[in-house]
Amino acid sequence: MDEIQKTLLEEIAGLHEIPAGAYNIRANGSTSSRNTTANIDIVTKDDKQGIDIIIKPGTKKESVHIPVILSESGITEMVYNDFHIGDDCDVTIIAGCGIHNGGERKSQHDGIHTFYIGKNAKVKYVEKHYGRGEGTGEKIMNPTTIVNIEENGHLEMETVQIKGVDSTDRITKAYLAEGASVVVNEKLMTHGNQYAKTTFEVEMNGEGSSANIISRAVAKDDSHQIFLAKIQGNNKCAGHSECDAIIMDNAKISAIPEITANHLEAELIHEAAIGKIAGEQLIKLMTLGLTEEEAEAQIVNGFLK
Amino acid sequence: MLELIDISFSVEEDGKVKEILKDINITIDDKKFVAITGPNGGGKSTLAKIIAGIEKPTAGKILFNGTDITDMSITDRAKLGISYAFQQPVRFKGIKVKDLIKLAAGEGVSVASACDYLSEVGLCARDYINRDVDGSLSGGELKRIEIATIIARNTELSVFDEPEAGIDLWSFKNLIKVFEKMHKQSEKSIIIISHQERILNIADEIIVVAAGQVKSRGTKDEILPEVLNGNTLEGCKYYND
Ligand SMILES: Nc1ncnc2c1ncn2[C@@H]1O[C@H](COP(=O)(O)OP(=O)(O)OP(=O)(O)O)[C@@H](O)[C@H]1O
Ligand SMILES: [Mg+2]
């Protein structure tokens, strides 16, 4: 693995070296290294690009890293990864995609991640998307995440895209059975001419299910963001979505929340707020000796932390 | 030394000019503890903002240690040694108490001394250091953190805008001690805007600002009786009736 690939890995997965536990590192269109454990198996799909990650029921305190890196300009790929997480598991999955584009041709990674989370299982899923490179070629990522959670299963998803992705269309869908819950924390920043669309669709089908979708976004320069959240309550359930966005420069942001109750005891809330950085926040930090630019950076970094 | 020379400040409201400060002349000598008091809306906070550079005077000059800082930015004044604790402290999403103290005291500050600043204002550091400076803090907690950041900055001139507001009685006693200590131990000047007799009592000098002007200034023995008798409101028909 070369230096560029190493930096990408560090950015998206915080990895300085080969991770402990199970992993599958995909570089420039194919698996570059893999490790499985007694409880976690990783199998290459034979009908299409991608892998199956199979985690035995009852597996606790284990992690799987499945980073994807593209360091050659001009690669376009579509990858299907399926996660089969057995009942009663408690595991962490770290995905993420880093693109370094040093050329003129576009680099694009599209991924469809499908989760089958068993009864009473707890999953933490972290994904980071990051782009860099001195080339003029576009860096595009379109991640789709489909989550099926069985009775009393739980997913906590952290998704971060802070820099360098020119265009993204992110879709996250979740289907919740009785007592199942999902919490999503999204952090998104766009700059330059970037475009980001992010869609959440949650169906709470089981009694006592719950969903909490929290998105914090900053749009700078001439970038454009669209946030869509559709939450449907089909049973006694609790759903909440929140989009909190800072707009800067000439950016554009739309937040389109939609909540649908098909059951008397569905409790659904959506909140959306878009605004520029409060002048008094800048002033306060300037009275501590920061320049306006430094103050702005502090506020944005804090907001996205 | 801070010198405000013929400072005026006006704003335009509905096409009419509204004078908020008129010909203010104040000198604050080094190591002095000066209290500014006066009726609500008299112009005290506006004056503080003019010192910090948040508002620019429409006329007049400000000198800090002999240097003309009238056109200087907020940032440069802060770097030169002016601090301002807001009357209404600002809330931030995602900035922690720790971060704010670091920004105030400089990168090098240790967690231990950051905690000391919080203890000074009566906050248990362990409970607060990692909290966000956001809507989850109570008004009094936020106010104390604001004061702690100014103590942490430890600059030549500190301006506190109604530090007592929202602080409970017990903590208020300790807060007075903090200001007394600051005054005794350091070579710095302090301006406190306040309505509290107990704070006015410990000042070297009291300045009364009303209707945008300096009404009077002097020692507490000269000024307190006047303030407590309500003479500063003599011009107001409503109160006289
Ligand atoms: N930018 C502005 N535009 C219009 N009016 C203003 C502006 N800034 C201040 N004022 C007015 O100027 C007057 C002085 O306000 P200031 O906040 O300085 O009073 P204060 O003495 O600090 O009062 P308090 O004791 O209530 O804090 C008030 O009448 C206020 O409404
Ligand atoms: Mg005031």
Side-chain angles (χ1 to χ4, degrees):
Chain A
M1 187 165 294
D2 61 26
E3 280 312 309
I4 287 180
Q5 297 186 341
K6 278 187 193 157
T7 5
L8 286 177
L9 259 191
E10 193 176 333
E11 258 322 310
I12 59 167
L15 293 177
H16 304 281
E17 50 197 38
I18 293 302
Y23 63 85
N24 186 85
I25 301 174
R26 181 182 171 95
N28 294 324
S30 60
T31 292
S32 85
S33 62
R34 171 180 300 173
N35 186 47
T36 58
T37 68
N39 295 323
I40 303 178
D41 199 13
I42 301 175
V43 184
T44 306
K45 283 190 187 295
D46 45 27
D47 54 340
K48 52 193 172 194
Q49 288 286 318
I51 48 179
D52 286 310
I53 294 112
I54 301 136
I55 305 181
K56 278 192 191 155
T59 302
K60 303 244 194 246
K61 304 266 171 280
E62 286 200 44
S63 64
V64 192
H65 284 82
I66 51 154
V68 172
I69 49 189
L70 298 182
S71 56
E72 282 169 18
S73 185
I75 292 183
T76 294
E77 61 179 3
M78 175 80 197
V79 178
Y80 298 83
N81 294 337
D82 294 341
F83 302 80
H84 301 271
I85 298 147
D87 295 350
D88 304 307
C89 282
D90 184 352
V91 293
T92 301
I93 296 165
I94 294 148
C97 177
I99 297 181
H100 177 104
N101 194 341
E104 293 86 61
R105 292 187 299 152
K106 80 168 184 192
S107 298
Q108 177 168 349
H109 172 81
D110 293 356
I112 298 184
H113 286 183
T114 308
F115 287 81
Y116 302 94
I117 298 176
K119 295 187 180 71
N120 301 310
K122 272 176 72 180
V123 178
K124 177 159 184 170
Y125 176 53
V126 182
E127 55 161 33
K128 281 195 184 145
H129 294 138
Y130 172 73
R132 52 176 267 167
E134 58 292 338
T136 51
E138 275 196 299
K139 298 168 285 285
I140 301 173
M141 294 182 200
N142 299 316
T144 297
T145 308
I146 298 165
V147 187
N148 303 284
I149 311 180
E150 289 184 40
E151 281 88 77
N152 299 316
H154 175 73
L155 172 75
E156 184 187 335
M157 176 171 171
E158 234 175 70
T159 168
V160 179
Q161 180 190 306
I162 298 292
K163 243 188 136 171
V165 179
D166 294 304
S167 168
T168 186
D169 186 350
R170 314 150 62 76
I171 299 170
T172 305
K173 295 183 183 183
Y175 304 93
L176 311 184
E178 194 181 313
S181 57
V182 63
V183 174
V184 182
N185 271 295
E186 180 187 57
K187 304 278 157 83
L188 192 61
M189 187 180 84
T190 52
H191 53 100
N193 281 310
Q194 295 172 355
Y195 169 79
K197 179 176 176 192
T198 167
T199 308
F200 292 98
E201 283 182 35
V202 180
E203 285 181 23
M204 290 180 284
N205 299 320
E207 187 178 336
S209 54
S210 72
N212 192 6
I213 313 290
I214 301 156
S215 171
R216 285 211 174 161
V218 175
K220 292 186 182 177
D221 306 325
D222 296 302
S223 64
H224 185 185
Q225 293 185 7
I226 301 175
F227 170 89
L228 282 139
K230 290 185 196 173
I231 297 188
Q232 209 178 85
N234 299 326
N235 211 319
K236 178 181 163 61
C237 61
H240 173 245
S241 80
E242 179 183 326
C243 166
D244 200 346
I246 292 180
I247 182 163
M248 296 167 77
D249 312 312
N250 300 309
K252 288 194 191 109
I253 307 178
S254 311
I256 310 164
E258 180 182 314
I259 48 182
T260 306
N262 294 320
H263 190 279
L264 180 65
E265 296 204 69
E267 287 183 25
L268 308 175
I269 299 171
H270 71 69
E271 297 174 80
I274 303 171
K276 63 174 195 241
I277 294 178
E280 57 168 16
Q281 293 183 337
L282 289 172
I283 288 172
K284 176 65 215 176
L285 295 185
M286 284 156 71
T287 62
L288 298 179
L290 276 70
T291 63
E292 190 170 346
E293 294 71 38
E294 287 165 347
E296 206 172 85
Q298 277 290 335
I299 293 165
V300 167
N301 289 345
F303 186 73
L304 293 175
K305 205 164 50 195
Chain B
M1 189 169 74
L2 178 78
E3 294 164 85
L4 302 174
I5 303 163
D6 298 329
I7 293 289
S8 293
F9 179 70
S10 52
V11 291
E12 211 163 299
E13 235 176 26
D14 309 324
K16 273 183 271 172
V17 176
K18 182 178 169 192
E19 277 210 300
I20 293 170
L21 295 175
K22 277 166 262 172
D23 297 324
I24 299 262
N25 283 285
I26 294 177
T27 302
I28 311 278
D29 285 323
D30 288 348
K31 302 184 216 172
K32 275 283 181 305
F33 184 131
V34 175
I36 299 180
T37 193
N40 293 139
K44 303 178 297 299
S45 294
T46 307
L47 194 61
K49 286 177 190 159
I50 280 179
I51 295 170
I54 297 167
E55 299 283 10
K56 295 271 181 252
T58 27
K61 258 203 311 204
I62 311 165
L63 305 184
F64 189 58
N65 295 330
T67 311
D68 189 338
I69 59 164
T70 319
D71 294 318
M72 202 179 257
S73 69
I74 303 173
T75 309
D76 290 340
R77 289 186 206 203
K79 285 184 175 154
L80 214 57
I82 296 176
S83 297
Y84 173 44
F86 287 25
Q87 183 171 359
Q88 267 132 9
V90 182
R91 296 174 198 266
F92 297 89
K93 277 181 189 159
I95 293 188
K96 290 188 189 307
V97 172
K98 184 171 65 187
D99 303 329
L100 211 57
I101 290 181
K102 254 193 197 153
L103 291 173
E107 248 332 288
V109 69
S110 66
V111 176
S113 43
C115 289
D116 287 345
Y117 297 126
L118 291 174
S119 312
E120 287 245 33
V121 294
L123 293 176
C124 175
R126 197 189 45 208
D127 298 343
Y128 287 94
I129 196 92
N130 282 317
R131 284 192 57 182
D132 280 352
V133 188
D134 63 7
S136 72
L137 290 169
S138 79
E141 289 168 338
L142 191 66
K143 196 75 192 183
R144 293 181 202 208
I145 289 160
E146 179 81 357
I147 295 166
T149 59
I150 302 309
I151 296 174
R153 289 203 78 216
N154 190 30
T155 50
E156 209 179 310
L157 173 68
S158 301
V159 184
F160 295 92
D161 199 343
E162 296 192 26
E164 75 270 14
I167 304 243
D168 63 73
L169 281 174
W170 185 85
S171 311
F172 180 63
K173 264 201 320 218
N174 293 297
L175 194 64
I176 300 244
K177 283 191 201 135
V178 170
F179 291 130
E180 276 182 316
K181 187 172 135 205
M182 266 180 99
H183 184 35
K184 278 205 199 96
Q185 286 183 350
S186 75
E187 304 286 283
K188 325 262 150 101
S189 325
I190 302 168
I191 300 176
I192 299 194
I193 297 171
S194 176
H195 299 292
Q196 277 292 328
E197 196 185 338
R198 303 255 298 275
I199 289 186
L200 302 183
N201 251 320
I202 57 168
D204 297 322
E205 189 183 15
I206 302 171
I207 298 175
V208 181
V209 172
Q213 287 178 304
V214 175
K215 262 275 153 153
S216 52
R217 67 183 292 182
T219 62
K220 64 167 188 262
D221 297 330
E222 294 161 357
I223 302 294
L224 271 183
E226 170 199 346
V227 172
L228 297 172
N229 288 331
N231 286 350
T232 50
L233 300 171
E234 65 194 349
C236 178
K237 201 166 165 303
Y238 178 79
Y239 274 89
N240 288 339
D241 293 349

